[in-house]
Amino acid sequence: MEQQTNLPSMHEARKRKKGEVEHLQYEIPNHLKGLGAQKSYFIKTYGCQGNIADSEKIAGIMENLGYSEAPNEEASDVLFFNTCAIRDHAEKRVFGELGRLKGLKANNPHRLIALCGCMPQEESTIETVQKKYDQVDIVFGTHNIARLPQLLEKAYQKKERIFEVLSFEGQIIEDIPLKRGHNQKAWVDIMYGCDEFCTYCIVPYTRGTERSRYPEDIIREVTELQEQGYLEVTLLGQNVNAYGKDFTDRKYGFSDLLSDLQKTNIPRIRFTTSHPRDLDLRTMEVMAQGKNIMPHLHLPVQSGSNAILKRMNRKYTHEEYAEKIKMLRNLIPNIAITTDIIVGFPQETDEDFEATLELVRECQFEGAYTFIFSPRQGTPAANFADDIPDIVKKARLLKLNELINEGFARGNHRFEGETVEVLVEGVSEKKTRLLNGYTPHNKLVNFEGPEELIGSMVLVKIEKAYTWHLRGTLVK
Ligand code: 5AD
Ligand code: SF4
């Protein structure tokens, strides 16, 4: 692979060059294979499942290079910050942590500190790190994880700071080694990037153009996971419903992929994130066939006001969204639906906010991630006049959360008295030492049982529903 050292340009990142996706195979140069002998690494991951999946790749590459995982950040020879840029809060946390590391670096000057993930894709981050954080040795972005061996080699040889962030990358690299974080549940990337350009969102700039993995590679990965004993896969993409739109050699979309994966023996399939405009009837029909596709859909709506949706560039209306939910419930009566909502978008009026509350009541969500709008430099909405006082934004969030929590509780109560299948994940940290796991509808269940059950699927009778979890007894 050609070496390219440059800095991000959000202007470049906006350019979309369709049909240029290269599908490549990961290779580690032979001379770098022992680079990490006697050395260790530690990864701190922030943000979404996409970053968790990327950290599994970073860990896989590091182990392939001979590094071992350190028990904590202090003990590590290479410390990674895999960062998130979606809201200002996430970035502030990382800068706070980096500041604290100055001392840690003084203790061990040979330690390398690497900043990666979405923050380096922003020009402002690079400037700040160059000026204020000279304890950071390597900066790389979301497009060049596969070049980590070469970046480490350069950092060791040159003893100078390495900045390598690519702005536009139409590549998919298969077979990057993975060190998965879980023994039963696996993340499976199906596509990268996003072409939606919602006006508030930094993701299209940090993650690049939409590009899909070939179905045969995904099906092979899921089949292998099932053969290794995995019980659940979550298919990942910023907009999974746009899967396959970039293929030039075939017509194959998300519903085809779901349908093909339905034929594998993996017991549970989930996917995230869906876009309401692109979610089509055919996908709903495949979901309705059930089998191993779990009856839960996360469908971010963002707002219930048509004026705000328009300014967000979401490309659907309140009514169209509600109609899709209706269609889904007709096809899959029991489905659990969750969402994401932003309050305090520039110029959101009381009436706009009321329309959001109305939509929440109409759609009967059983959970939501709710946020106050956070302006992201370089996105259109960051330049929209924002005249809403903070106190009003906070009050709206509080009011919305109350309504969402009611839905959460209602969604849980409908399972009282039912017997449900639970994938047992672990033991609760509280004194009670109850086992916990998730149902097909993605409800958290606590119950008494022996620890040997961890990692298996069991039946649990639900005795009582609480707002955030269900309490049940193991069915013998
Ligand atoms: N401000 C607040 N929330 C945001 N999200 C994305 N960008 C922003 C922003 N600038 C939220 C959206 C998205 C979720 C992952 O994060 O609700 O669905
Ligand atoms: Fe961001 Fe919109 Fe893409 Fe989701 S669909 S990642 S909110 S631009």
Side-chain angles (χ1 to χ4, degrees):
M1 206 187 300
E2 190 192 319
Q3 183 175 308
Q4 231 174 325
T5 304
N6 57 13
L7 300 177
S9 151
M10 288 169 78
H11 178 71
E12 276 301 302
R14 215 185 149 85
K15 295 182 185 161
R16 291 293 187 250
K17 304 168 198 162
K18 280 282 162 207
E20 290 176 16
V21 179
E22 264 184 292
H23 292 250
L24 305 167
Q25 217 60 30
Y26 177 75
E27 259 182 302
I28 188 170
N30 259 334
H31 74 282
L32 294 181
K33 282 195 175 138
L35 194 70
Q38 319 294 326
K39 295 198 197 85
S40 66
Y41 71 94
F42 192 79
I43 308 174
K44 299 193 80 169
T45 308
Y46 302 80
C48 69
Q49 289 97 335
N51 263 13
I52 298 174
D54 282 352
S55 285
E56 293 184 346
K57 289 182 187 158
I58 294 170
I61 293 174
M62 292 303 276
E63 304 229 341
N64 217 239
L65 290 169
Y67 291 86
S68 57
E69 190 176 359
N72 53 51
E73 59 179 88
E74 284 81 13
S76 64
D77 297 303
V78 187
L79 174 57
F80 292 91
F81 284 81
N82 191 6
T83 62
C84 169
I86 200 105
R87 280 171 295 275
D88 188 46
H89 177 72
E91 298 202 346
K92 286 219 170 86
R93 257 178 70 201
V94 169
F95 280 127
E97 294 260 319
L98 287 179
R100 197 174 49 77
L101 283 178
K102 239 188 173 129
L104 205 69
K105 187 89 181 183
N107 296 342
N108 175 4
H110 301 296
R111 169 179 294 120
L112 292 178
I113 295 176
L115 189 74
C116 58
C118 284
M119 278 172 64
Q121 298 292 148
E122 300 173 289
E123 289 146 29
S124 58
T125 300
I126 301 293
E127 269 169 40
T128 310
V129 172
Q130 278 175 335
K131 276 198 210 131
K132 294 199 198 151
Y133 294 90
D134 53 6
Q135 61 272 46
V136 176
D137 304 283
I138 304 178
V139 179
F140 62 101
T142 54
H143 302 305
N144 51 351
I145 291 175
R147 278 187 41 82
L148 183 54
Q150 289 87 343
L151 299 182
L152 286 166
E153 181 191 31
K154 264 208 296 197
Y156 286 130
Q157 280 175 354
K158 290 206 174 163
K159 306 228 179 302
E160 64 186 39
R161 306 174 78 195
I162 311 288
F163 287 81
E164 186 179 296
V165 184
L166 313 177
S167 288
F168 175 82
E169 195 64 84
Q171 285 182 341
I172 289 195
I173 303 182
E174 286 297 337
D175 290 335
I176 295 182
L178 279 175
K179 186 186 181 200
R180 296 195 190 266
H182 205 284
N183 293 329
Q184 290 80 42
K185 303 205 309 187
W187 308 112
V188 175
D189 286 316
I190 63 165
M191 62 185 300
Y192 306 96
C194 181
D195 286 347
E196 289 296 327
F197 289 100
C198 302
T199 53
Y200 51 82
C201 187
I202 194 82
V203 169
Y205 306 89
T206 61
R207 292 268 164 188
T209 194
E210 273 170 9
R211 53 216 190 273
S212 310
R213 291 179 68 199
Y214 287 138
E216 47 274 25
D217 291 325
I218 299 168
I219 294 164
R220 178 172 49 96
E221 183 173 341
V222 170
T223 307
E224 282 170 9
L225 284 164
Q226 184 262 320
E227 285 164 2
Q228 289 161 20
Y230 279 82
L231 298 173
E232 181 175 304
V233 293
T234 302
L235 312 177
L236 294 182
Q238 299 298 338
N239 172 8
V240 292
N241 307 99
Y243 174 80
K245 288 191 177 161
D246 54 310
F247 291 147
T248 48
D249 62 338
R250 60 187 97 188
K251 212 170 154 345
Y252 187 98
F254 184 60
S255 57
D256 301 306
L257 180 67
L258 264 192
S259 172
D260 280 342
L261 290 173
Q262 214 169 28
K263 295 176 199 132
T264 68
N265 292 323
I266 192 84
R268 286 182 168 192
I269 299 173
R270 302 185 188 278
F271 53 88
T272 196
T273 299
S274 296
H275 191 292
R277 191 209 40 190
D278 293 337
L279 172 68
D280 57 13
L281 180 63
R282 168 96 181 101
T283 299
M284 296 186 208
E285 284 168 351
V286 177
M287 288 174 71
Q289 289 167 17
K291 297 181 202 152
N292 48 6
I293 299 182
M294 294 297 101
H296 167 225
L297 182 69
H298 185 67
L299 195 63
V301 67
Q302 314 299 0
S303 170
S305 151
N306 285 337
I308 299 287
L309 285 170
K310 192 149 201 227
R311 269 188 279 129
M312 286 177 161
N313 192 30
R314 290 293 289 181
K315 306 176 196 114
Y316 54 82
T317 62
H318 176 128
E319 294 72 24
E320 284 162 353
Y321 182 92
E323 183 57 32
K324 286 222 168 151
I325 299 291
K326 219 158 138 197
M327 278 161 76
L328 266 167
R329 290 225 164 91
N330 274 339
L331 286 165
I332 315 162
N334 248 322
I335 191 168
I337 299 172
T338 56
T339 196
D340 290 347
I341 297 173
I342 297 175
V343 299
F345 191 76
Q347 294 143 55
E348 183 188 60
T349 62
D350 283 340
E351 291 73 39
D352 290 324
F353 178 61
E354 269 309 315
T356 297
L357 297 178
E358 190 45 47
L359 185 90
V360 171
R361 289 186 203 103
E362 229 174 304
C363 293
Q364 303 267 305
F365 295 119
E366 297 187 11
Y369 295 109
T370 57
F371 312 99
I372 290 178
F373 168 70
S374 169
R376 311 310 300 132
Q377 209 183 53
T379 64
N383 299 324
F384 294 175
D386 178 4
D387 52 1
I388 312 167
D390 274 357
I391 189 159
V392 172
K393 293 181 186 173
K394 285 189 185 136
R396 285 183 188 161
L397 186 68
L398 224 66
K399 191 159 178 199
L400 174 63
N401 283 346
E402 271 172 29
L403 191 61
I404 292 293
N405 296 350
E406 279 172 28
F408 214 114
R410 196 178 45 245
N412 277 342
H413 273 101
R414 68 189 175 103
F415 291 98
E416 273 187 354
E418 305 251 318
T419 296
V420 291
E421 197 171 50
V422 176
L423 197 175
V424 190
E425 290 196 9
V427 178
S428 71
E429 277 162 22
K430 293 196 195 131
K431 266 192 272 161
T432 52
R433 307 282 300 157
L434 292 172
L435 295 181
N436 58 36
Y438 286 86
T439 72
H441 293 82
N442 213 28
K443 309 286 178 191
L444 176 64
V445 181
N446 291 330
F447 61 101
E448 271 174 36
E451 288 190 19
E452 299 86 83
L453 292 180
I454 294 172
S456 65
M457 210 86 92
V458 299
L459 290 177
V460 175
K461 172 136 197 262
I462 302 304
E463 310 290 353
K464 188 152 175 50
Y466 298 87
T467 303
W468 308 116
H469 73 279
L470 299 164
R471 178 69 201 263
T473 44
L474 188 62
V475 176
K476 292 266 153 63

